[in-house]
Amino acid sequence: MKMETALERLREKGYKRTKQRERMLEIFTNQDQYIAAKDILKTFQEDFPGVSYDTIYRNLYLLTDEEILEATELGGEKHFRLSCDTHGHHHHFICTACGKTKSIEFCPMDKVQDNLQGYDIENHKFEIYGKCPACS
Amino acid sequence: MKMETALERLREKGYKRTKQRERMLEIFTNQDQYIAAKDILKTFQEDFPGVSYDTIYRNLYLLTDEEILEATELGGEKHFRLSCDTHGHHHHFICTACGKTKSIEFCPMDKVQDNLQGYDIENHKFEIYGKCPACS
DNA sequence: GAATTAATTCGTAATCATTATTATTTACAA
DNA sequence: TTGTAAATAATAATGATTACGAATTAATTC
């Protein structure tokens, strides 16, 4: 997703355009990887030495709610990445060494719906972990 | 998995048979659901009022390493369930209301291997979340 | 452009799950 | 039954996340 697309989406919803939000989006731009909240904080502090935890977490969740970011939990910590809106629904291979991801253009949900008659499906997670070619 | 199978597996590896480990396995027996570590602790305290965190976590991880338990992370907390060894590799639907699970006899990995040439796959996660018939 | 106002951020403390540590106890084997 | 390594208890520390009142700021209106 382009930074401008994200900012526009926020504007439409009436959210203010703050330096902090711009910077946060900037950090995610062109990063094909999940980043831990604490690493966002660390990067953030370079430009905003006094940034508060509140700002980091509130905005990460806001951006996730607005589907600008995608969230997942890796090793007990919340990680975030810019949502890919260029293609449809998909999943990711995630490198456990460098954190980089590769899109998997396949969703297993089609294959399992039949076995879940009567179940109210709200969500699903399909992630593959390992080492990318560069790290292995 | 039967409780006796689990105890036997521990014995083979030279682990001691303690009242705490027996009780822990008992808690998981016949529970088709993921249980949070803190809930294990709570149940445990009924029989072992002075049980330490250390005992809980050490044994949960030990049993997971020995493939007696399966672990997953739900809502930022580690959850565990007795491993099903009656049938092969599979995945789970997990009810977000009651925590009960249903086996999904399908693994999407077959479908995606081709797209991951050169990637060293270590692990994967496929979970479906929602409400089971009883809760929906 | 100044005033208004609600949203946002800061500064800091609290919470909560998990991990670590040391002394004590226990299972098991010789 | 005794010795010994393993396991547990009791407690403290850690670290990510959440909470909250005070101060600041973006956007709107005049």
Side-chain angles (χ1 to χ4, degrees):
Chain A
M1 180 182 292
K2 290 244 179 66
M3 175 143 167
E4 286 311 318
T5 314
L7 286 169
E8 175 59 19
R9 199 179 292 185
L10 288 181
R11 204 188 56 72
E12 281 168 8
K13 288 290 194 79
Y15 294 109
K16 291 182 179 173
R17 175 165 181 156
T18 65
K19 286 187 286 294
Q20 290 86 343
R21 282 180 183 154
E22 280 182 17
R23 182 76 187 100
M24 180 170 282
L25 286 168
E26 228 173 78
I27 291 170
F28 283 105
T29 304
N30 303 324
Q31 296 265 153
D32 262 354
Q33 62 184 287
Y34 278 102
I35 307 175
K38 69 169 178 219
D39 291 329
I40 300 295
L41 177 70
K42 209 180 298 171
T43 308
F44 227 91
Q45 287 171 326
E46 295 168 11
D47 291 325
F48 301 88
V51 70
S52 116
Y53 294 100
D54 191 64
T55 302
I56 300 293
Y57 284 97
R58 188 169 23 73
N59 283 318
L60 285 175
Y61 291 146
L62 168 68
L63 294 174
T64 304
D65 285 346
E66 296 302 323
E67 295 185 335
I68 291 166
L69 296 182
E70 289 176 28
T72 194
E73 206 142 319
L74 301 170
E77 291 174 43
K78 284 170 184 130
H79 287 62
F80 300 84
R81 57 163 289 150
L82 204 60
S83 178
C84 347
D85 61 353
T86 44
H87 46 327
H89 171 74
H90 62 280
H91 297 279
H92 288 112
F93 170 93
I94 303 171
C95 180
T96 52
C98 69
K100 289 211 174 61
T101 64
K102 173 182 162 52
S103 292
I104 304 289
E105 306 297 336
F106 170 77
C107 178
M109 291 309 288
D110 314 328
K111 308 284 181 186
V112 302
Q113 306 271 9
D114 294 346
N115 297 314
L116 291 168
Q117 301 285 347
Y119 287 79
D120 178 17
I121 298 172
E122 294 167 346
N123 215 335
H124 67 281
K125 184 173 201 170
F126 175 37
E127 289 177 347
I128 305 171
Y129 313 102
K131 301 281 185 293
C132 71
C135 290
S136 68
Chain B
M1 179 181 291
K2 290 244 180 66
M3 176 143 165
E4 286 312 317
T5 315
L7 285 169
E8 175 60 18
R9 198 178 292 186
L10 288 181
R11 204 189 57 72
E12 280 167 10
K13 288 290 194 77
Y15 294 110
K16 292 182 179 169
R17 175 166 180 156
T18 64
K19 287 186 285 294
Q20 290 85 345
R21 283 180 184 154
E22 280 183 18
R23 182 74 187 102
M24 180 170 282
L25 285 168
E26 230 174 75
I27 291 170
F28 283 106
T29 304
N30 303 323
Q31 296 265 152
D32 262 355
Q33 61 185 289
Y34 277 103
I35 307 177
K38 69 171 178 218
D39 291 329
I40 300 295
L41 177 70
K42 209 180 298 171
T43 308
F44 228 91
Q45 287 172 326
E46 295 169 11
D47 290 324
F48 301 89
V51 69
S52 115
Y53 294 100
D54 190 64
T55 302
I56 300 295
Y57 284 98
R58 186 169 25 73
N59 283 319
L60 286 174
Y61 291 146
L62 168 68
L63 294 174
T64 303
D65 285 347
E66 296 302 323
E67 296 186 333
I68 291 166
L69 297 182
E70 290 175 28
T72 194
E73 206 143 319
L74 301 171
E77 290 173 46
K78 284 172 183 126
H79 286 61
F80 300 83
R81 57 162 288 149
L82 203 60
S83 179
C84 346
D85 61 354
T86 45
H87 46 329
H89 171 75
H90 61 280
H91 296 279
H92 288 112
F93 170 94
I94 302 171
C95 179
T96 52
C98 69
K100 287 213 176 61
T101 63
K102 174 184 160 51
S103 291
I104 304 289
E105 305 296 335
F106 171 78
C107 177
M109 291 308 289
D110 314 328
K111 309 284 181 188
V112 303
Q113 305 271 10
D114 294 347
N115 298 314
L116 290 168
Q117 300 285 346
Y119 287 78
D120 177 17
I121 297 171
E122 294 167 346
N123 214 335
H124 67 281
K125 184 173 200 172
F126 175 37
E127 289 177 347
I128 305 171
Y129 313 102
K131 301 282 185 294
C132 70
C135 291
S136 67

